[in-house]
Amino acid sequence: MDIPKYTPPDFFQSINISFLTGRMVFFIILLVYAIFYLMVSSVLIYHWFKYGMKSSGIIVAQTLYIFVSVFLFAFAILALSIY
Amino acid sequence: MNYESLHLNPDENVILEVRKHWIVFLGKALALLFGTILPFAIFTALEMFIPGTVSKIINSVYFAGNPYAVILFFYVLWVLFLWISFFIEWTKYYLDVWYVTEKRIIDVNQKQIFNREISNLRFDKIQDVTVDVHGFIPTMLNFGNIKVQTAGEDNADFFMANVQNPDEVRRVIFSQHNEIGDAPIRYAKKEVEVEENQNQK
């Protein structure tokens, strides 16, 4: 017995958001996100410097955090560059 | 290690740092890791139960360029959010610590990022140290609760849950407590020795 497949309605066709899908819009989104990310990162790094007692765990965490964050932001920029 | 922010006395050194066992943080880390694969799980579930939905949604929205690049872009932002959440949780875990010196226990309680409580407990105020290792996994991984009871009604007890190697912590605290307790006796013995030497002369 064939079970009929559900097909969603076509109301998506009526949505025109072309003004929101330009590359500049996504770069602005990335910029705002980066500003908030920097604010939270500065709070974290402040805590590590002030209360971390310069332990090896803190140094490893700092290095890992910064490297991976930079890599992910670079990846986001790359994604937008191929858009 | 640099303990400047603890404001220790010149003749005081940190002899032990006591933290919670890593398994306490593991649950949150796994939840965040699951978050990274959640978008794939949602897309796969949608395709399994309502085939063609994902491609229909992507094709119905006008994109000036490659729509998959946009999906990748937002996925990277999601992973960045999870990454920073991971380190916020790790910071709360790592900065929640007891510093045991020769003279006191410094309890640093990092409740939230902007909520930090520091208490001091001198060894001569300690009445008892209780260790509680309860369950199969805590026994195998050697972690448990430790409570330091203080003398006096007004003083609050020091308590830390899921401490790694709690027996070693209790041993160190007791040895320092005994060291402080024996200090007057040693001083008195020294005085007697000096007096005897003077009498002999």
Side-chain angles (χ1 to χ4, degrees):
Chain A
M1 178 181 157
D2 285 335
I3 300 168
K5 288 183 182 172
Y6 173 75
T7 51
D10 284 338
F11 58 85
F12 287 117
Q13 296 292 342
S14 62
I15 300 173
N16 183 4
I17 55 169
S18 57
F19 64 97
L20 289 175
T21 59
R23 185 182 284 178
M24 191 51 63
V25 174
F26 293 125
F27 268 113
I28 291 169
I29 291 171
L30 181 64
L31 182 66
V32 172
Y33 195 91
I35 289 168
F36 280 111
Y37 196 88
L38 274 170
M39 284 165 60
V40 178
S41 300
S42 58
V43 168
L44 278 179
I45 291 171
Y46 168 79
H47 275 76
W48 294 341
F49 268 112
K50 189 156 168 69
Y51 305 118
M53 314 295 171
K54 294 181 184 172
S55 70
S56 56
I58 289 286
I59 293 168
V60 169
Q62 254 175 253
T63 311
L64 190 66
Y65 176 76
I66 291 167
F67 269 98
V68 174
S69 298
V70 167
F71 172 76
L72 286 173
F73 269 108
F75 208 67
I77 293 168
L78 183 69
L80 287 184
S81 66
I82 63 170
Y83 175 60
Chain B
M1 299 281 277
N2 187 337
Y3 297 108
E4 269 181 25
S5 60
L6 292 178
H7 306 293
L8 300 175
N9 296 331
D11 59 340
E12 195 178 6
N13 299 295
V14 172
I15 53 177
L16 184 67
E17 287 185 25
V18 182
R19 284 190 172 84
K20 295 183 182 179
H21 198 272
W22 54 262
I23 204 165
V24 169
F25 178 65
L26 183 66
K28 291 174 186 169
L30 286 176
L32 290 168
L33 184 67
F34 176 72
T36 61
I37 60 171
L38 189 64
F40 299 106
I42 291 172
F43 281 140
T44 307
L46 273 174
E47 278 297 313
M48 272 175 59
F49 295 107
I50 314 171
T53 305
V54 175
S55 52
K56 204 174 179 77
I57 292 170
I58 291 169
N59 292 331
S60 64
V61 179
Y62 171 78
F63 286 105
N66 187 348
Y68 295 101
V70 174
I71 293 170
L72 180 63
F73 169 70
F74 281 108
Y75 178 70
V76 171
L77 293 191
W78 170 244
V79 172
L80 273 167
F81 170 75
L82 293 175
W83 185 243
I84 204 166
S85 302
F86 173 86
F87 273 94
I88 290 172
E89 292 301 321
W90 181 83
T91 302
K92 285 193 289 183
Y93 156 80
Y94 195 79
L95 296 186
D96 195 9
V97 60
W98 283 4
Y99 293 104
V100 180
T101 72
E102 295 99 338
K103 298 185 179 180
R104 54 184 166 148
I105 300 172
I106 303 170
D107 176 14
V108 179
N109 192 359
Q110 188 78 38
K111 295 177 181 176
Q112 295 294 335
I113 283 293
F114 292 111
N115 189 350
R116 185 178 170 88
E117 195 178 82
I118 301 175
S119 309
N120 289 283
L121 175 62
R122 291 166 56 89
F123 282 115
D124 54 359
K125 301 285 184 212
I126 292 175
Q127 244 183 352
D128 192 22
V129 180
T130 308
V131 165
D132 173 30
V133 179
H134 186 74
F136 174 73
I137 293 174
T139 304
M140 290 294 112
L141 296 179
N142 192 19
F143 67 89
N145 304 333
I146 187 162
K147 185 165 84 169
V148 178
Q149 288 172 292
T150 59
E153 290 177 5
D154 298 335
N155 292 328
D157 295 341
F158 274 29
F159 177 81
M160 188 183 271
N162 303 314
V163 172
Q164 52 189 1
N165 208 356
D167 286 324
E168 173 65 15
V169 175
R170 181 175 60 179
R171 186 195 66 77
V172 169
I173 292 174
F174 264 135
S175 71
Q176 290 305 311
H177 178 253
N178 292 337
E179 189 84 14
I180 298 289
D182 290 342
I185 299 170
R186 284 203 303 274
Y187 185 72
K189 277 187 182 171
K190 215 173 185 178
E191 273 195 333
V192 167
E193 277 174 17
V194 167
E195 207 177 308
E196 279 176 2
N197 288 337
Q198 281 176 347
N199 290 340
Q200 279 175 1
K201 285 177 187 170

